[in-house]
Amino acid sequence: MSTIEIKNLTKRYGEAEVLSNINMKLESGKIYGLVGRNGSGKTMLMKHILGFVKATQGTILINGKAVGENDDMQENMGAIIENPGFLPEYSGFTNLKLLAMIQGKIKDEQIKDAIRLVGLDPESKKAVKYSLGMRQRLGLAQALMENPDILLLDEPLSGLDNDGVQEMWKLFLKQKEDGKLIVLASHSKEDIGTGAGATKFI
């Protein structure tokens, strides 16, 4: 079982307090909705979980191990943080292949499977000058391609039409059934309430 446990987490920049004494425990096999307006700290919290930002005080434990110990990269986690960034002159597959080379855990066919999973064509040679919705789909493929146990998805449904939202929710629910721990950030419950009964809101 995968877990994220946050204890007394606070982040300050000077006198501005961005996160204040956050405590929560998240478990695999569930989808959590992280809801709040712009500037409420959703993205900042995800960056702390990933180890991109150091807390002013408090701790985050991923499967019992403190984030930031020995500056190790978090393993078995997939994420979309803010807008997915890709090299615009390359295809979707080439972009993901370049990212996959960092850890060298997966082969080309697994990358292509992830691209198919989000409804894109892995054989397309089209450069990634995509619409927002297509970029979000490719970002999801990047988050999923190494089969992580934990998914942190910041506004993953931005730019998708109603059919696209329904399609992605089916994907999220399948990942949940497979035992993944999923955190979805959004501005409102309505934005991520499509999978009714599946989400615990934070």
Side-chain angles (χ1 to χ4, degrees):
M1 173 181 284
S2 295
T3 60
I4 299 172
E5 189 168 4
I6 301 174
K7 300 180 179 180
N8 306 313
L9 182 71
T10 296
K11 179 63 178 180
R12 300 187 190 92
Y13 288 103
E15 295 187 3
E17 195 167 69
V18 182
L19 300 174
S20 180
N21 195 35
I22 294 174
N23 291 274
M24 64 178 72
K25 185 171 183 179
L26 313 179
E27 300 176 342
S28 57
K30 295 179 181 178
I31 300 175
Y32 296 88
L34 189 61
V35 179
R37 66 184 186 282
N38 281 338
S40 62
K42 305 183 302 295
T43 299
M44 183 60 67
L45 178 57
M46 286 187 166
K47 288 180 177 179
H48 278 77
I49 294 171
L50 288 162
F52 294 167
V53 179
K54 186 175 181 179
T56 303
Q57 65 188 51
T59 58
I60 300 175
L61 304 175
I62 307 294
N63 299 330
K65 181 180 178 182
V67 172
E69 282 188 355
N70 304 318
D71 293 324
D72 290 340
M73 182 182 292
Q74 293 299 316
E75 296 183 355
N76 294 320
M77 297 181 70
I80 299 176
I81 300 296
E82 298 175 322
N83 294 323
F86 299 106
L87 298 172
E89 64 269 32
Y90 296 117
S91 69
F93 171 77
T94 300
N95 268 276
L96 297 199
K97 184 174 175 65
L98 290 169
L99 290 169
M101 288 170 64
I102 295 171
Q103 297 199 65
K105 292 169 58 176
I106 58 174
K107 299 187 181 301
D108 288 2
E109 197 53 42
Q110 290 164 285
I111 299 170
K112 291 180 180 181
D113 286 345
I115 295 172
R116 291 187 191 98
L117 197 61
V118 300
L120 297 177
D121 178 8
E123 305 300 338
S124 173
K125 305 301 182 186
K126 180 181 176 181
V128 181
K129 296 176 182 176
Y130 290 170
S131 66
L132 176 58
M134 289 180 69
R135 290 176 69 85
Q136 288 296 101
R137 287 174 183 264
L138 191 62
L140 283 168
Q142 174 267 315
L144 292 165
M145 67 183 180
E146 293 178 342
N147 193 29
D149 297 324
I150 298 172
L151 290 165
L152 302 179
L153 306 177
D154 189 8
E155 305 283 352
L157 304 176
S158 295
L160 297 178
D161 60 19
N162 289 337
D163 288 343
V165 169
Q166 296 290 338
E167 188 181 342
M168 291 305 103
W169 258 106
K170 289 179 182 178
L171 176 58
F172 297 154
L173 292 171
K174 177 62 168 62
Q175 296 295 311
K176 169 184 173 286
E177 290 167 6
D178 290 343
K180 311 291 187 185
L181 191 171
I182 305 171
V183 181
L184 306 176
S186 185
H187 295 102
S188 70
K189 289 184 179 182
E190 288 72 22
D191 287 346
I192 53 176
T194 308
T199 307
K200 293 178 177 294
F201 291 105
I202 300 169

